Amino acid sequence: MSLLIPCIIAGGAGTRLWPVSREAMPKPFMRLPDGESLLQKTFRRATGLADVQRLLTVTNREVFFRTLDDYRLLNKGGTALDFILEPFGRNTAPAIAAAALHVSRLYGEDAQLLVLPADHLIKDLDAFAKAVQSARKLADQGWLVTFGLVPTQAETGFGYIEKGQALDEGSFQVARFVEKPDAATAQRYVDGGLHLWNAGMFCMRADVVLRELQEHAPDVLAAMTECLAHSHGREGSQELQLELDGKTLGLAPDISIDYALMERSKKVAVVPCQLGWSDIGSWQAVRDLTPADANGNQCNGETVLFDVHNCYIDSRKRLVGGVGLKDLIIIDTPDALLVADSKRSQDVKLIAQELKRQGHEAYRLHRTVTRPWGTYTVLEEGKRFKIKRIVVKPDASLSLQMHHHRSEHWIVVSGMARVTNGEHEFLLDTNESTFIKPGKTHRLVNPGVIDLVMIEVQSGEYLGEDDIVRFTDIYGRVPVEAGKS
Amino acid sequence: MSLLIPCIIAGGAGTRLWPVSREAMPKPFMRLPDGESLLQKTFRRATGLADVQRLLTVTNREVFFRTLDDYRLLNKGGTALDFILEPFGRNTAPAIAAAALHVSRLYGEDAQLLVLPADHLIKDLDAFAKAVQSARKLADQGWLVTFGLVPTQAETGFGYIEKGQALDEGSFQVARFVEKPDAATAQRYVDGGLHLWNAGMFCMRADVVLRELQEHAPDVLAAMTECLAHSHGREGSQELQLELDGKTLGLAPDISIDYALMERSKKVAVVPCQLGWSDIGSWQAVRDLTPADANGNQCNGETVLFDVHNCYIDSRKRLVGGVGLKDLIIIDTPDALLVADSKRSQDVKLIAQELKRQGHEAYRLHRTVTRPWGTYTVLEEGKRFKIKRIVVKPDASLSLQMHHHRSEHWIVVSGMARVTNGEHEFLLDTNESTFIKPGKTHRLVNPGVIDLVMIEVQSGEYLGEDDIVRFTDIYGRVPVEAGKS
């Protein structure tokens, strides 16, 4: 059979999972109670399939380094990594068109794409591998293959796929796609046995995708062909990055692969499957990952509860006391707290939307912000001071920079730092500290092989992130940019 | 009329107000939305009365400095301050006996004590002043005068006073005291008009208290006479401190003034009054201090709410998002969160009791800990580091000390520090920093006239509070003691 290239598509903000999911740290990066992110689980699932030597990821440029970090921890088998990096999210049709063009050009027209959303959960990996095998056979025959999940309840939040004529090995041609139904219709679908959930996973040959796009969505194909022609690639030892050109990407229609292709093509098949699948679409779905106690409560973190029933409480750093509660979801994070009726977990997005409307930081960022060189966490801000914990990855470096209005005091609590302070360059060992006066150019490098963990205390009259003059930056960022260098 | 000495009695943990009220920062210190503590309001109320030149406070030794801080901010009139400091809380009978002995000895037998609990709220200060005037007349005539609040609802949480024979100016002899009634009895009391709430406030001549104690509770009087004989006083320019001897105090009966005296004496009168009084006994009482919005929500702090009704939300540092909530109390503090059904606000004490049983830090301490020299707040703890914000009051000084296992890095963000580091002594100005190596004796002093605010970053293998060798301490604390010096 032809080459299989799993293609992880990361997109969507996950606003219903606020305050854990935020714009700058969207749902794929959400850590489950076992410590792995949804993205990591997707990576593991994709690279665990037979004959996978290469994995393609289509994601936002902003989260590229974070994605790489998540992968590297798991990528012991040395799967080659391709990235298509979007300057902004468009939609699934442009993303998949770009993936098909890329794969077809580099790895052969008959290579198969296995499209996987980055933020779903699948418990039964054997069933998943079998379903992929079935899908591959159909894909080889020229079908656009979807995965149809046997519904377990009358869900109104998903689209459905109606089975048509039977094909090989328990698979079917797709009769039609149907939009999110109302409750009564959903119940009929479940009872009737003809309908399956559309999970947004696909298996298809690159040339078939391109041919069908040419027929049914030529504007998408043309726009993405143009976009790739204007895009620039970079190749590392194990990684290939293709950074999409923003100007031409902006001209591509903002349309999903379902609308653009699946609902229009006659060559769509479905493999029915039971995978222990969840789209982790709300806190109600997340809570099921934590076992319930005798009162039906599912708790992560320390709690003291009296007469509390059927609540989900997630609080990793703060003690939660509860009295006389029922059917609540309580999610505590360092800078924001969510308390919601568990029956209203879909409406959590209203809060995220309102925060977005206000331009509120709690929509976009967490206390911990990821940068190419590592992370920083604002521990405390007050009048005349700001304290950050800075983690610099081995071999990574912050840009050479200068601030006009603030002193920076650096204390190494773990690892080793190489510091440039004006004309001086010196090593700073664990438990040592130094300070950078206003107006001094400085740079911080981790020359070691373990993470450098530093506490930075800024003091001064003005501590805005925009008081920075950046001289050189190995990550190619623009000279002046808001945000920690 | 004879001298009036208000006597503020601080006691009680306020466990129903967890997580704001804690053992080391009990209810009197709770800040109301206007920024003043209950203790400060009590101080203001007492010193606002006519002819008050001196105020006596009976409180725990542990919170003496904190009490003084609260008073000093308000004590512009220069009221003289007497303190009777208890090494541990006993009960109201021993406390009031000590107060009467102290006042009688120093300020005359006929001086009047106005006993005020430190943690109640009174809105109508004019009515309070009038009630005190009436009480003083009766006290002069030799009555033990109680204040009886006209009940506003059938409260089952308070004791009641039954009016007897009428005395002067709308006051009455007390027929009897009754325990907390059931709901039906409470309703009968309210309807009948004969019963008043017992607010635990008293006005009485020192010699009358001592005479009546001699008759009805001679064991209490004897024990406290013995205790005062073994206690030691200290006199400052404006303050007199009498530190009760723990050994003899431990021999005093653990009994309330109501049981020991009021219920037994024939010389008890009551002044009925309407003061806008509240004992701030639960979060339901606290919430009434914050105006309600159109949905009946009372919020302090930033919130984004959808379909939330009749909730009280207090979160000063964290954004709270709510969806589909009704009748909840949500109290967020830096290290603990409370979510409770508002009808169950009395049961919040169950959480505090459970934490006490577990020996949990969240029962005893806040993130911010008060010391004689100021405060420290643990901002963050992690592997190999601990960060504190330290506030040192003008002229205050930490003890000369040494740590075996940790470095301390000090950054001045406001004010000026005088640092002793080994043999060196130097000034550290705002925005400057220094560091203390393990094994170096060091001391920190605020030589200035404004607060010194410092960030301390500790780093090392072992960061326990018990790694401290203390050499000298101007606050007379024992050489080695757990807790920041």
Side-chain angles (χ1 to χ4, degrees):
Chain A
M1 217 178 295
S2 56
L3 193 65
L4 178 72
I5 300 186
C7 172
I8 296 179
I9 307 272
T15 53
R16 286 171 298 180
L17 296 172
W18 184 89
V20 168
S21 170
R22 311 242 178 134
E23 189 181 82
M25 185 62 72
K27 195 178 140 199
F29 298 104
M30 194 170 112
R31 251 68 193 158
L32 299 184
D34 67 4
E36 271 192 358
S37 67
L38 286 166
L39 179 65
Q40 285 181 316
K41 293 202 176 289
T42 308
F43 179 86
R44 213 188 257 289
R45 186 189 316 143
T47 56
L49 292 168
D51 304 325
V52 169
Q53 269 88 47
R54 182 172 293 277
L55 176 114
L56 171 62
T57 304
V58 184
T59 192
N60 195 294
R61 187 172 68 186
E62 282 288 307
V63 296
F64 167 60
F65 288 99
R66 176 71 201 232
T67 303
L68 213 49
D69 286 347
D70 264 22
Y71 286 178
R72 276 183 183 152
L73 288 170
L74 303 179
N75 195 11
K76 308 295 182 204
T79 305
L81 300 176
D82 284 20
F83 289 91
I84 296 179
L85 301 176
E86 302 174 314
F88 48 87
R90 197 64 186 159
N91 206 328
T92 49
I96 291 172
L101 285 165
H102 174 83
V103 164
S104 155
R105 185 178 305 163
L106 270 70
Y107 310 118
E109 294 198 339
D110 65 343
Q112 292 184 343
L113 283 171
L114 175 66
V115 174
L116 301 172
D119 53 2
H120 291 178
L121 192 68
I122 286 175
K123 282 193 195 138
D124 188 343
L125 294 183
D126 287 342
F128 172 69
K130 273 185 206 142
V132 170
Q133 273 312 107
S134 304
R136 292 195 65 184
K137 282 180 198 160
L138 292 166
D140 239 17
Q141 297 162 22
W143 293 95
L144 302 171
V145 188
T146 64
F147 294 77
L149 298 156
V150 178
T152 51
Q153 78 264 10
E155 177 65 51
T156 58
F158 305 146
Y160 285 69
I161 298 172
E162 188 180 315
K163 291 187 278 191
Q165 198 186 326
L167 300 171
D168 294 351
E169 294 186 62
S171 61
F172 299 85
Q173 193 164 354
V174 169
R176 59 182 185 113
F177 287 83
V178 283
E179 295 281 308
K180 295 173 185 176
D182 59 28
T185 310
Q187 191 57 56
R188 265 195 294 116
Y189 288 170
V190 174
D191 297 341
L194 259 188
H195 291 81
L196 302 160
W197 289 341
N198 180 2
M201 305 194 303
F202 309 101
C203 184
M204 43 213 186
R205 254 178 26 214
D207 56 353
V208 175
V209 177
L210 296 178
R211 192 188 65 213
E212 293 288 308
L213 278 175
Q214 183 58 49
E215 186 177 342
H216 300 291
D219 49 348
V220 172
L221 186 61
M224 294 314 295
T225 304
E226 177 76 5
C227 178
L228 260 67
H230 285 82
S231 299
H232 298 283
R234 240 197 285 202
E235 205 156 345
S237 56
Q238 273 287 319
E239 291 133 25
L240 185 154
Q241 302 161 33
L242 181 67
E243 195 158 332
L244 293 189
D245 172 61
K247 214 163 137 189
T248 48
L249 179 63
L251 301 173
D254 185 357
I255 187 171
S256 77
I257 194 73
D258 294 85
Y259 282 121
L261 189 55
M262 299 300 165
E263 299 187 4
R264 297 174 185 175
S265 169
K266 298 280 172 278
K267 289 294 291 177
V268 188
V270 59
V271 174
C273 42
Q274 291 176 291
L275 306 178
W277 174 91
S278 165
D279 76 334
I280 307 291
S282 71
W283 286 113
Q284 275 298 81
V286 174
R287 71 182 289 175
D288 288 336
L289 304 174
T290 302
D293 68 15
N295 292 315
N297 296 315
Q298 291 150 297
C299 300
N300 296 307
E302 195 182 11
T303 56
V304 177
L305 308 177
F306 290 92
D307 197 13
V308 171
H309 300 275
N310 299 316
C311 288
Y312 178 59
I313 301 177
D314 188 294
S315 176
R316 310 296 168 103
K317 290 204 107 181
R318 212 180 322 274
L319 167 72
V320 178
V323 178
L325 308 176
K326 223 180 108 182
D327 300 327
L328 287 184
I329 288 170
I330 298 172
I331 310 292
D332 188 57
T333 70
D335 61 343
L337 166 70
L338 169 71
V339 183
D341 179 349
S342 60
K343 293 182 292 298
R344 302 285 297 276
S345 69
Q346 298 290 334
D347 291 340
V348 171
K349 64 170 183 281
L350 297 176
I351 295 174
Q353 285 163 0
E354 171 60 19
L355 292 172
K356 186 179 187 179
R357 197 191 61 76
Q358 293 177 9
H360 199 293
E361 222 187 25
Y363 171 74
R364 211 165 65 80
L365 295 175
H366 280 281
R367 279 274 175 88
T368 297
V369 177
T370 304
R371 293 288 176 210
W373 43 259
T375 62
Y376 75 87
T377 305
V378 177
L379 300 179
E380 185 85 4
E381 280 179 89
K383 209 178 149 201
R384 298 187 50 86
F385 76 94
K386 186 190 275 186
I387 307 177
K388 293 178 174 177
R389 183 180 51 236
I390 295 177
V391 180
V392 185
K393 293 185 284 193
D395 261 344
S397 167
L398 278 69
S399 60
L400 185 67
Q401 57 188 248
M402 186 266 278
H403 314 289
H404 290 106
H405 303 293
R406 67 186 193 233
S407 313
E408 291 186 342
H409 305 257
W410 292 345
I411 299 120
V412 176
V413 297
S414 175
M416 167 85 75
R418 193 168 70 233
V419 174
T420 306
N421 184 0
E423 307 79 55
H424 303 286
E425 187 177 304
F426 52 91
L427 289 173
L428 209 58
D429 204 353
T430 299
N431 295 345
E432 293 184 337
S433 62
T434 188
F435 97 95
I436 314 287
K437 287 187 184 170
K440 283 272 182 195
T441 55
H442 57 279
R443 180 199 281 280
L444 179 65
V445 177
N446 178 359
V449 293
I450 59 167
D451 280 353
L452 160 65
V453 182
M454 252 186 36
I455 302 300
E456 175 181 279
V457 181
Q458 302 175 359
S459 60
E461 288 295 342
Y462 179 76
L463 301 171
E465 294 286 358
D466 55 348
D467 174 18
I468 182 167
V469 180
R470 195 174 272 145
F471 300 102
T472 65
D473 181 23
I474 61 167
Y475 305 101
R477 289 171 298 169
V478 288
V480 180
E481 174 191 306
K484 182 73 204 169
S485 57
Chain B
M1 216 178 295
S2 57
L3 193 64
L4 178 71
I5 299 186
C7 173
I8 296 179
I9 306 271
T15 54
R16 285 171 298 180
L17 296 172
W18 184 89
V20 168
S21 170
R22 311 238 178 138
E23 188 180 82
M25 186 62 71
K27 194 176 143 201
F29 298 104
M30 194 169 110
R31 251 66 194 157
L32 299 184
D34 67 4
E36 270 193 1
S37 69
L38 286 166
L39 179 65
Q40 285 181 316
K41 292 201 176 290
T42 307
F43 180 87
R44 215 188 254 290
R45 186 188 317 142
T47 55
L49 292 167
D51 303 324
V52 169
Q53 269 90 45
R54 182 173 294 275
L55 178 118
L56 169 62
T57 303
V58 184
T59 191
N60 195 293
R61 187 172 67 185
E62 281 288 306
V63 296
F64 167 60
F65 288 99
R66 176 71 201 233
T67 303
L68 214 48
D69 286 347
D70 265 21
Y71 285 177
R72 276 181 183 154
L73 287 170
L74 302 179
N75 195 11
K76 308 297 181 200
T79 304
L81 301 177
D82 284 20
F83 290 90
I84 294 179
L85 301 177
E86 301 174 315
F88 49 86
R90 198 63 186 161
N91 206 329
T92 49
I96 291 173
L101 285 165
H102 173 84
V103 164
S104 154
R105 185 178 307 164
L106 270 71
Y107 311 116
E109 293 198 340
D110 65 344
Q112 292 183 344
L113 282 171
L114 175 65
V115 173
L116 301 173
D119 53 2
H120 291 178
L121 192 68
I122 286 175
K123 283 193 193 135
D124 189 343
L125 294 183
D126 287 342
F128 172 70
K130 272 185 207 144
V132 170
Q133 274 311 106
S134 303
R136 293 195 64 183
K137 284 180 196 159
L138 292 167
D140 240 17
Q141 296 163 22
W143 293 94
L144 302 171
V145 188
T146 65
F147 294 78
L149 297 157
V150 178
T152 51
Q153 79 264 7
E155 178 64 52
T156 58
F158 306 145
Y160 285 69
I161 298 171
E162 187 180 316
K163 292 186 279 191
Q165 198 186 326
L167 300 172
D168 294 350
E169 294 186 63
S171 60
F172 299 85
Q173 191 162 357
V174 169
R176 60 182 184 113
F177 287 83
V178 283
E179 294 280 309
K180 296 174 185 177
D182 59 28
T185 310
Q187 191 58 57
R188 264 195 295 115
Y189 286 172
V190 175
D191 298 340
L194 258 188
H195 291 81
L196 302 161
W197 290 340
N198 180 4
M201 305 194 301
F202 309 100
C203 184
M204 43 212 187
R205 257 183 19 217
D207 56 353
V208 176
V209 177
L210 297 177
R211 192 188 65 212
E212 293 290 305
L213 277 173
Q214 182 58 50
E215 184 175 345
H216 300 290
D219 48 349
V220 173
L221 185 62
M224 293 314 296
T225 303
E226 177 75 4
C227 178
L228 260 68
H230 285 84
S231 300
H232 299 282
R234 237 196 289 201
E235 204 155 348
S237 57
Q238 273 289 320
E239 292 134 24
L240 185 155
Q241 302 161 33
L242 181 67
E243 195 158 332
L244 293 188
D245 171 61
K247 213 165 140 189
T248 47
L249 179 63
L251 301 173
D254 185 357
I255 186 171
S256 76
I257 193 72
D258 295 85
Y259 283 120
L261 188 56
M262 299 300 164
E263 299 186 5
R264 297 173 184 174
S265 168
K266 299 278 170 280
K267 289 293 292 176
V268 187
V270 59
V271 174
C273 43
Q274 291 175 291
L275 307 177
W277 174 91
S278 166
D279 77 335
I280 306 291
S282 70
W283 285 114
Q284 275 299 79
V286 174
R287 72 181 289 174
D288 288 337
L289 305 175
T290 302
D293 67 16
N295 292 315
N297 296 315
Q298 290 150 299
C299 301
N300 296 308
E302 194 181 12
T303 57
V304 178
L305 308 177
F306 290 91
D307 197 14
V308 170
H309 300 275
N310 298 316
C311 288
Y312 178 59
I313 300 177
D314 189 295
S315 176
R316 311 296 169 102
K317 290 205 108 182
R318 213 180 323 274
L319 168 71
V320 178
V323 178
L325 308 176
K326 224 181 106 181
D327 300 327
L328 287 184
I329 289 170
I330 298 172
I331 311 293
D332 188 58
T333 71
D335 62 340
L337 167 69
L338 168 71
V339 184
D341 179 351
S342 60
K343 294 180 293 296
R344 303 284 296 275
S345 69
Q346 299 290 332
D347 291 340
V348 170
K349 65 170 182 281
L350 297 175
I351 295 174
Q353 285 164 1
E354 170 61 19
L355 291 172
K356 185 177 186 178
R357 197 192 60 76
Q358 292 178 8
H360 199 292
E361 222 187 24
Y363 172 74
R364 211 165 66 81
L365 295 175
H366 280 281
R367 277 272 175 89
T368 297
V369 178
T370 305
R371 293 287 176 212
W373 43 260
T375 62
Y376 75 88
T377 305
V378 177
L379 300 179
E380 186 86 5
E381 281 180 88
K383 209 179 148 199
R384 297 189 50 84
F385 75 94
K386 185 189 276 188
I387 308 176
K388 292 178 175 177
R389 184 179 52 237
I390 297 177
V391 179
V392 185
K393 293 184 284 193
D395 262 343
S397 168
L398 279 69
S399 60
L400 184 67
Q401 55 188 253
M402 187 267 278
H403 314 289
H404 290 108
H405 303 292
R406 67 187 193 232
S407 312
E408 291 186 343
H409 305 257
W410 292 347
I411 299 122
V412 176
V413 297
S414 176
M416 168 84 77
R418 192 168 69 234
V419 174
T420 305
N421 184 2
E423 306 80 53
H424 304 286
E425 186 176 306
F426 51 92
L427 289 173
L428 209 58
D429 204 349
T430 300
N431 296 345
E432 294 184 338
S433 61
T434 189
F435 97 95
I436 313 287
K437 287 186 184 171
K440 284 271 181 195
T441 55
H442 57 279
R443 179 200 282 278
L444 179 65
V445 178
N446 178 0
V449 293
I450 60 167
D451 280 353
L452 160 64
V453 182
M454 252 187 35
I455 302 300
E456 174 181 279
V457 181
Q458 302 176 359
S459 61
E461 288 295 343
Y462 180 76
L463 302 171
E465 295 285 358
D466 55 348
D467 173 20
I468 182 167
V469 180
R470 197 175 271 147
F471 300 101
T472 65
D473 180 25
I474 60 169
Y475 305 101
R477 289 172 297 169
V478 289
V480 181
E481 173 190 307
K484 181 74 204 170
S485 57

